[in-house]
Amino acid sequence: MSEKAQTEHGQLVGVEKLRSSCDPASLGFATTAELEPLDGLIGQDRAMEAIRLAAGMRASDFNLFVQGPPGMGRHDSVTTYLREHAATLAEPDDWAYVNNFDAPHKPCALRLPPGVARKLALEMQDVVDDLAIDIAALFESDDYQAASRVINEEFGEQQEHTMAAFAEKAKSEDVAMMRTPMGIMLTAIKDGEVVKTDRFDALPEDERKTIEEKINRLQVELSEILRNAPKLDRERRRRIEALNAGMVGEVVSSRLREARDAFADIEVVQAYLATVEEDMIGNAEMFLAVTQQQPDGPFPESVHKAHSNPAFQRYMVNVMVTREGDAPRGAPLETEDLPTLDRLAGRIEHVSQMGALMTDFTMIKPGALHRANGGYLILDARRLLSEPMAWPTLKQCLQSESIPITSLGERLSLISTTSLEPDPIPMNVRVVLIGDRMLYAMLITLDPDFGELFKLQADFEESIARSDDTQALFARVIGTRAARNGLRPVSAGGVARLMDEAVRRAEDASKLSLHLGALADLLREADHYAGEGARDIVIAEDVEHAVQQADRRASRIKDRMREMVRRKTLLIDTSGEAVGQVNGLSVIGLGGYLFGRPARITARTRMGSGKLIDIEREVELGGPLHSKGVLILSGYLSSTYALDVPFSLQASLVFEQSYGGVDGDSASAAELFALISSLSGVPIHQGFGVTGSVNQNGQIQAIGGVNEKIEGFFETCLDQGLTGDQGVMIPAANVDHLMLRQDVVEAVRDGQFRVIAISTIDEGLGVLTGRDPGARGPDGGFPPDTVNGLAEARLRGFAEQRLKFSQSAKPTGQGG
Amino acid sequence: MAAPGPGHKRILVGAGSFADARAALAILDLLSGVGITDIGGLFLEDREVMEAATPRTSALVSPRGAIGTAPSRQVLRLMWRSDARAFRDRLIQLAARRALRWSFERAPGEPVAGLCNVAHSWDWLLIGHLPSGAHAGRVVGVFHGAAAGGDGVGELTEGLARSLGTGAELIADTLPEADILARLERVHAAAVVIDAGAGPFRTAAQIRALLAAARCPILVLGAAGIPSLVEYSTQIPQPPPGQAG
């Protein structure tokens, strides 16, 4: 079989189309050090427009989902843009929680101007510290002592006067007051002695009645006096409290007036301080009690920090979010790498007291939503979705535009202890989720809330059209990354080699891959080799070395498979001819590493009822796409050959020595070639590897992984010896995707290997068999000696054979 | 509290009910730095109360003003026993806390007279009486002579007042006894301090009148000066020679 014969049907792909290398000379610079830095991304206009829109709109439901594969620079670009944009926005207000003096389990949220929350917190600490000293001094002052003593003595003497008068009266009426364990016993006396029963009985009736009457009367009077004592004491306490309120009120009001003046224009602080004043006056004794508990330490009373005493926590300010002095101006931009429920929406901590878990408003801790309030929050979608209750909580916050704080245990009713119901803080946060396309598809499909809350998507392109302009931009991106990562400048040759790698990763000679993360990894490795070589710049050889080393590190399985083919453990022929047998090409992917390998496909045919058996599908090793491809073959055969007779073929197809799953339809053309070969009995040249899918009209369609497939078959041929007759047949539509390794290109240039593009099955049959495939003539039939003619004749033979068989098996109808 | 100079003071606390005893022990607990080494408790059961407790000639009013009939003898005995036990327990607790020697005895008799009868073997007496009111009144001292301080009454009075967080009032015994009693009738007092060895209140009758007027615990210094009417017992031993009040 001559080269001419093999190629007159397909199109021999020229060397120049096998690898569209970038010419370093066309870049116009020596090293990237000469280039202007280029921050941001190239080729992501669509995504950046979405990001800009999300940043600018303040509607709560225009949140953004940034989708695309990792390594596209999604995080960097979103963060960079939002940081710049946030700096132009107004600073959001501070938020703080303070005690609710009426309902301590429902802390109040205070909205304060930027930077005020911390000042207010410090002011309240000072207020408590000052009052702890001032109020204690007040209670110890002579003024207070004298005033309180006057009240105590007034009431004490009032009671004593009453008792003294009663005692006098009782004495004057000859009644003694005797103390007993049960109380005071009033008893009649006569002539200085107690009137005992026998003496009483001897008295005249009227005198006895008089004694009984006065005893009863005095008993009632004494009872009234003693009953009145608690009332008097209550009145005394009220007077003391009024005294305390009056004197303490002056001290508290005086100190809080200073605080009010410090926050004169802030109405909410004025209102809060009014409630504080009322509570402080009502609980003035707390200051005294705490001061008296202070141990005598080495420091004078004036430096005691009373605000750290738990009793005064009620007057503290729990700053949830504030703008510190050295914080960047503008709106906040927050990220949360571990978006648990607590870290997202805040939490309420507890402390153990006497075995019970206790909490108060000072133990409310902010979450990422609090910190990002008024600005932007960037979250990794996968991490968010993998944290229990985090996603429902985020949705709830976005829907209600507020941040309620509820612990996981509380939501799941796992714990029963004292808890709080803080005022929800109003929320205005633009949430940006970054995830892959699968996550986006699942969320938009399965979660009806997602579409409502995340109305914007930024879909990152994976490649960019290749042109002089984009190559120039690409070079600047490489230079910028090198500089930012502290790497050596890259020579023009190095940039060109990186660009070649970008083209290969794009699987399209007319495009550049935008997987900048992977290219940056390659650049860093190349920089390492440049360092080992004591070079000041990264050159093409460094990049090439990095590519080879990365390939070598990942190629253990590929090498083992090559070895198995070499040793005939896996049967692949790269020379000779065989009927019903063709070399299909498949791609195996492991992580980010892809490699191609040939697989023997065989077909067997015989008379039947039109059934095409896909053995892979029968044993459930074939995927749905593969099955679809095989069924298309059946459609092609039945609509191409022997149209006037029943389709009377039974055929079987198999990937030989394939023990794993097979999917995709890229081998359907190869399977069809094997079937037609088997039908026609025309052998196929085994020096070819074939890839491409086919439709029912016999047109060859593009497939993926074309470079790896060609290289995989090339390596097999190389191992078995290059003959010059070998090559790979690919769909013509894939020619633009070629970016082959340099060694393959060299082999083609040297005439040792070929790449042939085909557009139809007939072209492929011509290449593989070296014979005319045959086209239908004016009589409607294929020429007899052509591949198609032989195949049709065989099928017609099957139909006739089947007809004869059915006639011979038909019953005569003569039964008796 | 600041107090007179150190010594080996023996104090006898007497009361006819636990309520009165508790008020006295509260005052005793405030006495520190005065060299107390022994405390004694004497619970006195006034049998005259038993005799007087008849339904037609007597009536009862509780400390909070509840009206009741005079208790029966059996009830009185039970109450005395219960109060005596509580008094003893509280005394033991205080002695243990302060590392003091203690003794306790129940005896029949009117409280003031009973205490005065055994007073000569003790340095100080503390006569229990529940004061009125929930807050502490002032501490009143009746001092001997023209100026306070010489007999220790003044310092004790001031010290107790400081400990109670209240005021002190010192009355000179140069005033007629009736005037002093009249003054005490109207003062809301937490305690009264007197010196039986030097002041006008020396006999049981005088001290009883003082107690009736003051209606609060009375701390009697110089108890050895009070005339004794009873023999020593095993529970109330004779004092060591040379340690009288």
Side-chain angles (χ1 to χ4, degrees):
Chain A
M1 190 186 304
S2 69
E3 181 180 322
K4 184 171 181 288
Q6 288 172 0
T7 57
E8 67 185 3
H9 296 287
Q11 183 184 358
L12 193 62
V13 181
V15 175
E16 73 285 355
K17 290 192 174 180
L18 298 181
R19 182 179 177 86
S20 303
S21 296
C22 175
D23 180 7
S26 69
L27 295 176
F29 60 86
T31 73
T32 54
E34 304 167 14
L35 301 177
E36 283 291 316
L38 178 64
D39 287 320
L41 297 176
I42 57 172
Q44 302 293 4
D45 297 343
R46 188 202 320 266
M48 290 310 293
E49 282 171 19
I51 294 169
R52 276 192 285 274
L53 181 60
M57 286 194 70
R58 296 317 296 172
S60 66
D61 50 355
F62 273 67
N63 296 294
L64 177 68
F65 192 101
V66 178
Q67 55 173 317
M72 304 289 296
R74 297 167 303 170
H75 284 87
D76 282 351
S77 55
V78 169
T79 305
T80 303
Y81 180 78
L82 290 182
R83 181 175 293 121
E84 290 172 1
H85 186 77
T88 66
L89 301 178
E91 285 183 41
D93 288 333
D94 287 357
W95 283 95
Y97 275 112
V98 295
N99 189 31
N100 182 340
F101 296 105
D102 295 328
H105 69 289
K106 291 183 175 178
C108 302
L110 289 189
R111 181 180 201 144
L112 302 165
V116 168
R118 185 71 64 199
K119 288 180 190 165
L120 180 62
L122 294 173
E123 180 67 22
M124 288 309 296
Q125 290 180 4
D126 289 345
V127 165
V128 168
D129 291 344
D130 292 346
L131 289 180
I133 294 168
D134 294 347
I135 291 177
L138 170 73
F139 282 121
E140 289 170 5
S141 69
D142 292 340
D143 291 352
Y144 176 82
Q145 294 289 341
S148 64
R149 198 159 48 236
V150 165
I151 294 171
N152 284 333
E153 288 179 3
E154 177 188 333
F155 281 88
E157 288 180 8
Q158 195 174 334
Q159 179 71 1
E160 296 300 333
H161 281 207
T162 311
M163 279 300 293
F166 179 81
E168 192 65 33
K169 183 177 182 181
K171 189 177 176 184
S172 67
E173 294 192 32
D174 286 335
V175 173
M177 297 170 64
M178 305 181 80
R179 300 183 66 76
T180 75
M182 289 79 79
I184 299 171
M185 195 172 77
L186 299 171
T187 188
I189 53 174
K190 191 174 175 64
D191 303 328
E193 290 185 4
V194 169
V195 179
K196 296 179 183 171
T197 303
D198 51 350
R199 192 174 173 196
F200 179 77
D201 291 341
L203 291 174
E205 178 63 23
D206 56 342
E207 195 171 349
R208 291 205 301 267
K209 280 187 177 174
T210 303
I211 289 175
E212 285 175 350
E213 182 274 326
K214 71 182 177 187
I215 289 293
N216 290 336
R217 178 169 43 78
L218 290 172
Q219 184 189 31
V220 171
E221 283 184 25
L222 179 59
S223 171
E224 284 295 315
I225 291 167
L226 293 176
R227 282 179 195 275
N228 196 44
K231 288 182 196 166
L232 281 174
D233 200 56
R234 279 197 294 276
E235 195 177 337
R236 179 191 64 84
R237 284 204 303 273
R238 277 194 283 276
R239 289 273 299 276
I240 292 289
E241 283 168 5
L243 172 71
N244 290 351
M247 297 189 76
V248 170
E250 285 178 22
V251 175
V252 171
S253 298
S254 170
R255 180 60 186 86
L256 285 178
R257 199 174 302 121
E258 292 176 30
R260 282 204 192 89
D261 292 345
F263 302 93
D265 301 330
I266 307 171
E267 196 173 323
V268 67
V269 176
Q270 299 294 321
Y272 167 64
L273 291 176
T275 62
V276 168
E277 181 174 351
E278 190 179 333
D279 189 80
M280 281 182 167
I281 292 171
N283 295 285
E285 75 284 353
M286 193 166 61
F287 287 88
L288 189 63
V290 169
T291 307
Q292 287 172 345
Q293 288 167 9
Q294 295 278 9
D296 293 333
F299 298 106
E301 185 186 60
S302 59
V303 297
H304 279 162
K305 298 299 181 192
H307 69 264
S308 59
N309 190 298
F312 294 125
Q313 290 293 310
R314 59 200 282 118
Y315 302 124
M316 295 297 103
V317 174
N318 182 10
V319 178
M320 295 296 283
V321 59
T322 188
R323 310 295 288 171
E324 300 291 355
D326 55 350
R329 299 292 95 183
L333 172 65
E334 290 289 331
T335 58
E336 179 54 66
D337 292 333
L338 183 61
T340 62
L341 170 62
D342 287 355
R343 286 169 171 258
L344 199 60
R347 63 190 186 281
I348 300 171
E349 296 181 338
H350 289 75
V351 292
S352 177
Q353 287 181 1
M354 309 289 284
L357 292 175
M358 307 298 289
T359 187
D360 61 42
F361 74 98
T362 62
M363 293 186 215
I364 302 173
K365 303 297 176 190
L369 286 171
H370 293 98
R371 295 194 303 274
N373 205 358
Y376 304 96
L377 175 61
I378 300 174
L379 298 170
D380 184 276
R382 187 172 296 277
R383 290 179 189 169
L384 175 72
L385 291 167
S386 62
E387 291 295 339
M389 300 306 290
W391 173 239
T393 300
L394 177 63
K395 286 195 299 180
Q396 184 191 352
C397 292
L398 290 172
Q399 283 166 338
S400 65
E401 297 182 40
S402 64
I403 316 170
I405 301 179
T406 309
S407 72
L408 187 61
E410 205 174 335
R411 288 190 72 138
L412 300 177
S413 300
L414 293 177
I415 57 169
S416 176
T417 186
T418 307
S419 194
L420 303 175
E421 297 172 35
D423 279 351
I425 289 179
M427 187 183 84
N428 177 20
V429 176
R430 171 70 65 247
V431 176
V432 178
L433 292 183
I434 298 178
D436 55 45
R437 294 196 172 93
M438 174 67 81
L439 273 181
Y440 181 82
M442 288 176 70
L443 284 168
I444 200 74
T445 305
L446 301 174
D447 189 340
D449 297 331
F450 177 74
E452 292 295 318
L453 296 171
F454 288 80
K455 288 190 163 62
L456 299 177
Q457 57 166 309
D459 196 350
F460 271 61
E461 295 282 1
E462 294 190 51
S463 61
I464 185 175
R466 188 178 177 189
S467 67
D468 290 346
D469 290 342
T470 55
Q471 289 195 153
L473 290 172
F474 201 88
R476 287 173 63 193
V477 168
I478 290 173
T480 305
R481 292 234 169 187
R484 191 194 301 164
N485 294 333
L487 308 179
R488 293 168 179 78
V490 188
S491 70
V495 171
R497 182 63 188 87
L498 279 168
M499 233 174 279
D500 290 348
E501 199 59 24
V503 171
R504 184 177 167 88
R505 285 170 193 249
E507 295 189 350
D508 191 334
S510 63
K511 289 184 181 295
L512 291 168
S513 168
L514 292 176
H515 285 259
L516 297 176
L519 291 175
D521 292 344
L522 195 61
L523 179 59
R524 286 205 296 266
E525 188 173 340
D527 178 79
H528 172 75
Y529 297 132
E532 284 185 342
R535 283 182 288 281
D536 294 333
I537 58 171
V538 178
I539 60 175
E541 285 71 18
D542 296 323
V543 179
E544 178 63 28
H545 189 49
V547 171
Q548 287 175 357
Q549 288 301 308
D551 188 78
R552 175 174 162 68
R553 287 193 295 271
S555 63
R556 188 189 68 82
I557 294 175
K558 183 181 83 169
D559 290 348
R560 294 290 79 74
M561 284 189 165
R562 279 181 69 175
E563 183 184 3
M564 290 167 79
V565 172
R566 204 162 47 234
R567 297 170 64 183
K568 300 294 183 187
T569 306
L570 291 176
L571 296 176
I572 301 291
D573 291 339
T574 57
S575 61
E577 296 178 334
V579 173
Q581 175 176 308
V582 70
N583 291 320
L585 299 174
S586 62
V587 172
I588 295 174
L590 204 62
Y593 180 70
L594 299 175
F595 64 93
R597 77 171 187 99
R600 174 177 287 179
I601 298 172
T602 60
R604 291 292 178 265
T605 53
R606 54 152 287 166
M607 182 200 76
S609 58
K611 188 175 182 184
L612 183 57
I613 297 174
D614 175 13
I615 292 178
E616 305 299 327
R617 189 178 65 174
E618 295 294 320
V619 297
E620 297 182 352
L621 283 175
L625 294 180
H626 181 257
S627 298
K628 178 186 175 187
V630 172
L631 292 174
I632 287 172
L633 305 187
S634 179
Y636 174 81
L637 289 174
S638 61
S639 62
T640 303
Y641 300 116
L643 302 177
D644 53 347
V645 294
F647 188 53
S648 305
L649 171 71
Q650 171 145 335
S652 62
L653 278 170
V654 68
F655 272 67
E656 302 288 356
Q657 292 184 291
S658 167
Y659 308 106
V662 174
D663 203 5
D665 64 350
S666 69
S668 59
E671 289 167 329
L672 186 54
F673 290 136
L675 273 173
I676 295 173
S677 168
S678 175
L679 269 175
S680 64
V682 178
I684 286 175
H685 181 37
Q686 297 298 301
F688 279 102
V690 178
T691 184
S693 74
V694 63
N695 63 20
Q696 291 195 107
N697 296 322
Q699 293 170 313
I700 304 296
Q701 302 166 148
I703 46 80
V706 67
N707 293 309
E708 288 79 7
K709 287 173 177 172
I710 294 171
E711 288 162 2
F713 191 69
F714 171 77
E715 286 167 352
T716 302
C717 294
L718 191 66
D719 291 342
Q720 298 188 359
L722 290 172
T723 62
D725 289 339
Q726 296 147 332
V728 173
M729 207 161 66
I730 64 169
N734 279 117
V735 171
D736 286 344
H737 303 154
L738 292 176
M739 190 65 189
L740 292 168
R741 280 189 338 231
Q742 196 61 41
D743 55 342
V744 181
V745 176
E746 295 301 328
V748 172
R749 181 175 288 125
D750 295 344
Q752 293 180 311
F753 197 70
R754 290 172 295 171
V755 177
I756 297 169
I758 58 170
S759 300
T760 64
I761 285 294
D762 284 348
E763 284 181 23
L765 285 173
V767 172
L768 290 173
T769 61
R771 295 172 69 156
D772 182 7
R776 289 191 184 279
D779 58 350
F782 289 109
D785 290 336
T786 61
V787 178
N788 286 330
L790 290 168
E792 184 167 64
R794 183 87 181 279
L795 276 171
R796 194 176 294 280
F798 285 158
E800 289 167 357
Q801 195 177 351
R802 188 179 171 198
L803 179 63
K804 286 178 189 172
F805 181 76
S806 61
Q807 285 173 341
S808 64
K810 188 183 288 182
T812 59
Q814 296 176 351
Chain B
M1 60 167 279
H8 297 282
K9 294 286 186 297
R10 304 176 71 249
I11 300 182
L12 178 64
V13 181
S17 70
F18 176 64
D20 291 344
R22 192 174 53 194
L25 290 173
I27 296 295
L28 176 61
D29 208 12
L30 297 173
L31 292 172
S32 60
V34 294
I36 298 172
T37 55
D38 296 73
I39 55 175
L42 181 58
F43 187 81
L44 289 148
E45 298 165 5
D46 191 349
R47 299 295 158 88
E48 196 164 70
V49 172
M50 197 178 278
E51 297 294 328
T54 63
R56 299 179 67 185
T57 62
S58 59
L60 190 73
V61 182
S62 77
R64 299 194 64 80
I67 288 174
T69 56
S72 67
R73 295 181 173 219
Q74 187 182 2
V75 169
L76 265 176
R77 282 195 199 95
L78 286 172
M79 290 304 297
W80 278 331
R81 189 189 309 159
S82 169
D83 275 24
R85 192 181 302 124
F87 181 9
R88 180 177 182 274
D89 292 345
R90 185 67 66 92
L91 184 85
I92 292 171
Q93 285 173 13
L94 193 150
R97 198 168 66 246
R98 303 269 297 267
L100 305 175
R101 286 191 295 272
W102 65 273
S103 59
F104 182 82
E105 188 174 0
R106 283 173 68 184
E110 186 273 326
V112 176
L115 276 169
C116 290
N117 283 341
V118 297
H120 58 274
S121 60
W122 297 86
D123 298 318
W124 293 353
L125 293 184
L126 185 53
I127 308 169
H129 193 294
L130 181 67
S132 64
H135 69 284
R138 61 180 61 180
V139 180
V140 180
V142 182
F143 68 91
H144 179 62
D151 54 359
V153 169
E155 280 186 56
L156 265 176
T157 303
E158 298 282 357
L160 275 174
R162 270 198 303 277
S163 299
L164 284 166
T166 184
E169 179 175 340
L170 289 167
I171 303 172
D173 66 357
T174 51
L175 287 174
E177 186 179 332
D179 289 356
I180 295 173
L181 291 176
R183 171 65 189 148
L184 284 173
E185 281 272 5
R186 282 157 179 76
V187 171
H188 177 48
V192 173
V193 183
I194 62 169
D195 187 349
F201 302 99
R202 292 167 178 260
T203 66
Q206 288 171 320
I207 293 172
R208 190 182 301 113
L210 184 71
L211 185 66
R215 292 184 291 277
C216 67
I218 293 180
L219 177 62
V220 183
L221 313 184
I226 300 173
S228 173
L229 297 176
V230 298
E231 299 295 327
Y232 297 113
S233 72
T234 52
Q235 294 293 324
I236 304 174
Q238 193 170 10
Q243 283 200 5

